């Protein structure tokens, strides 16, 4: 059995695991923060749901930021976990932009739907 001493890679990414454990079964956790002025919790949760087969997420909301701890399944290696975490961050941005675009185009979408349904026989003009 190998003895592994874990050291935080950066202030934003920490690897948390028991001090003594076989390298092949070492659970990996990565932690980082999102600025809540930039990203909504809803967008982060939607992004996390897309990766539910690879990790679970613990959320902590502090003043000014949303702290995420990604807990990877034991089969995921450190290298894979870091790549998946980068993909997760891109997915958070994607979800946030989708929300912004949906909000900005809501009026136009409603107008198109109203126009489309006004030309159908779903609503009788007889009253």
């Amino acid at each position: 059995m190998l003895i592994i001493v874990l050291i935080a890679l950066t202030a934003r990414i920490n690897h948390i695991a028991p001090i003594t454990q076989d390298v092949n079964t070492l659970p990996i956790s990565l932690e980082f923060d999102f600025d809540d002025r930039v990203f909504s919790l809803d967008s982060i949760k939607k992004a996390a749901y897309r990766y539910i087969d690879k990790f679970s997420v613990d959320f902590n909301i502090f003043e000014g930021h949303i702290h995420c701890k990604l807990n990877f399944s034991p089969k995921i290696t450190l290298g894979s976990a870091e790549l998946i975490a980068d993909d997760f961050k891109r997915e958070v941005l994607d979800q946030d932009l989708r929300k912004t675009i949906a909000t900005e185009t809501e009026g136009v979408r409603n107008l198109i739907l109203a126009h489309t349904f006004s030309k159908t026989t779903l609503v009788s003009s007889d009253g």
Side-chain angles (χ1 to χ4, degrees):
M1 185 167 287
L2 296 173
I3 296 178
I4 298 181
V5 178
L6 300 176
I7 301 172
L9 292 178
T10 67
R12 300 186 125 223
I13 299 176
N14 298 313
H15 301 283
I16 301 169
I19 298 298
T20 305
Q21 190 164 0
D22 187 337
V23 170
N24 296 326
T25 61
L26 183 68
I28 298 170
S29 295
L30 300 178
E31 298 182 30
F32 42 89
D33 296 326
F34 291 98
D35 188 327
D36 68 1
R37 294 171 296 171
V38 179
F39 299 104
S40 70
L41 179 60
D42 191 48
S43 296
I44 297 169
K45 290 192 310 186
K46 285 180 181 180
Y49 182 72
R50 301 230 10 200
Y51 291 90
I52 203 160
D53 63 324
K54 302 208 178 359
F55 58 77
S56 63
V57 183
D58 296 325
F59 297 104
N60 286 308
I61 301 171
F62 297 100
E63 189 174 312
H65 68 273
I66 301 166
H67 182 79
C68 295
K69 178 181 175 188
L70 309 183
N71 304 298
F72 289 87
S73 63
K75 65 183 178 184
I76 304 289
T77 64
L78 176 59
S80 294
E82 290 172 339
L83 291 174
I84 293 166
D86 286 341
D87 287 343
F88 170 67
K89 291 175 190 176
R90 283 190 286 277
E91 183 64 27
V92 169
L93 176 61
D94 182 65
Q95 292 296 329
D96 193 67
L97 290 174
R98 287 173 185 267
K99 181 179 176 184
T100 300
I101 291 168
T103 301
E104 290 175 354
T105 61
E106 183 177 19
V108 174
R109 284 183 288 119
N110 288 339
L111 183 62
I112 291 169
L113 286 170
H115 180 71
T116 301
F117 286 115
S118 70
K119 296 184 178 214
T120 67
T121 57
L122 291 175
V123 178
S124 173
S125 60
D126 297 347

